[in-house]
Amino acid sequence: MKPRPDAPMLSDPSWSLGAGLEGRGVIVTGAAGGIGRATARMMATAGARVAAVDIDRDGLEQTVAILEGRTDHLAVPFDLADTAAIPDLVAWAVGRLGDLWALANVAAVLRRRSLDDVTEEDWNLQMDVNLKASFFLNREAGNAMVAGGGGGRIINFASMAWLVGPFLGSDAYVISKAGIVSMTRGFARTFGPHGILVNTVAPGQVDTPMQHQENTPEVMERAMAMCPLGRMGRPEELATVVLFLASRHSGFVNGATINVSGGLIMY
């Protein structure tokens, strides 16, 4: 049986030289800060050409200014809630990047509300950005990779709470993130025969602005105490997992949900 184009062979020199991202086009959403910025930096350091996407224009410019390896990374201000414009976004990015090897879909929005205080607007915003936009972005990116004919990688983000349920007013957010897990499995089955691997990263407590959003220092201390490592994760520790999933080294990982919680949950 002939190997698929993205299946690395041990005799292939690129296997030992790095992640195989050199010169490849990569889209990173949520790239203005936190895990998204760390992921964009990791991709750039690995040699990829990065299209950094976020609604925060100033934060994007700051991200692109610190990307290494190349001088032609792209800052792409975009509101993912505008799902009708996602096909144009992907087509534009592919045209500017020259190809599309990976999508790292990190962007999300969280509104902490007690269950009785969740409004329809709160619900719609989190579903639109976190789940609806992810569906159409995955579909467009996957189809672009199919058209390219060389395989690819799609990495989505859930939360450890997809498995254990919401905490501290994150009900709507967690429902959207649980949907990401099922969505990813569907795309993994659809795109897998084309050599396009689709996986999810499920972070635990990570030291980002979102994690601190409307949480008291006491809540943060309790969360760290519950983790066997006694601390929160760092954005870079999530970005390294994304880099692995985007690389040639992840060639037999498909439809997985990777737990990166420091042991706060175990499965």
Side-chain angles (χ1 to χ4, degrees):
M1 181 175 178
K2 184 179 179 181
R4 297 195 178 278
D6 65 322
M9 306 298 290
L10 294 180
S11 58
D12 183 346
S14 67
W15 176 260
S16 60
L17 294 176
L21 286 162
E22 297 85 354
R24 305 307 303 269
V26 173
I27 296 174
V28 180
T29 70
I35 298 169
R37 176 173 290 174
T39 296
R41 293 190 71 180
M42 199 75 70
M43 296 290 190
T45 300
R49 187 182 184 195
V50 177
V53 178
D54 203 290
I55 196 172
D56 179 357
R57 185 182 297 268
D58 291 339
L60 272 182
E61 295 294 343
Q62 294 168 18
T63 294
V64 171
I66 61 174
L67 298 186
E68 302 173 357
R70 305 176 64 97
T71 60
D72 54 357
H73 302 293
L74 306 173
V76 189
F78 187 82
D79 182 358
L80 286 170
D82 184 9
T83 52
I86 285 176
D88 290 338
L89 167 70
V90 173
W92 180 87
V94 172
R96 291 291 301 273
L97 294 169
D99 79 334
L100 180 60
W101 169 253
L103 164 67
N105 184 31
V106 186
V109 62
L110 166 65
R111 285 189 176 178
R112 292 193 190 278
R113 301 282 191 271
S114 67
L115 190 61
D116 289 334
D117 289 334
V118 175
T119 67
E120 189 172 350
E121 195 272 334
D122 294 329
W123 173 273
N124 288 341
L125 176 65
Q126 291 172 98
M127 295 300 155
D128 285 352
V129 173
N130 299 350
L131 185 56
K132 182 179 177 181
S134 294
F135 176 87
F136 290 105
L137 190 57
N138 273 234
R139 189 177 71 179
E140 292 300 319
N143 285 337
M145 293 171 189
V146 171
R153 304 286 189 267
I154 297 174
I155 304 99
N156 293 306
F157 266 72
S159 162
M160 71 171 193
W162 81 270
L163 182 65
V164 297
F167 298 94
L168 302 171
S170 62
D171 295 79
Y173 173 82
V174 171
I175 291 168
S176 72
K177 289 301 186 176
I180 290 290
V181 174
S182 291
M183 181 199 76
T184 294
R185 291 168 177 167
F187 280 120
R189 287 194 173 94
T190 297
F191 291 130
H194 300 278
I196 299 162
L197 311 183
V198 189
N199 293 290
T200 299
V201 176
Q205 308 286 351
V206 182
D207 192 8
T208 66
M210 179 182 286
Q211 188 62 58
H212 292 273
Q213 183 179 323
E214 301 173 64
N215 275 331
T216 66
E218 292 76 19
V219 169
M220 292 291 91
E221 287 294 330
R222 288 199 299 271
M224 287 188 285
M226 291 171 62
C227 178
L229 301 186
R231 63 176 178 86
M232 287 189 284
R234 296 183 292 272
E236 294 75 16
E237 292 175 308
L238 275 295
T240 55
V241 177
V242 179
L243 183 68
F244 162 71
L245 291 172
S247 76
R248 292 167 60 85
H249 303 311
S250 67
F252 206 57
V253 182
N254 191 36
T257 301
I258 309 297
N259 169 24
V260 191
S261 68
L264 185 57
I265 64 168
M266 301 182 186
Y267 63 84

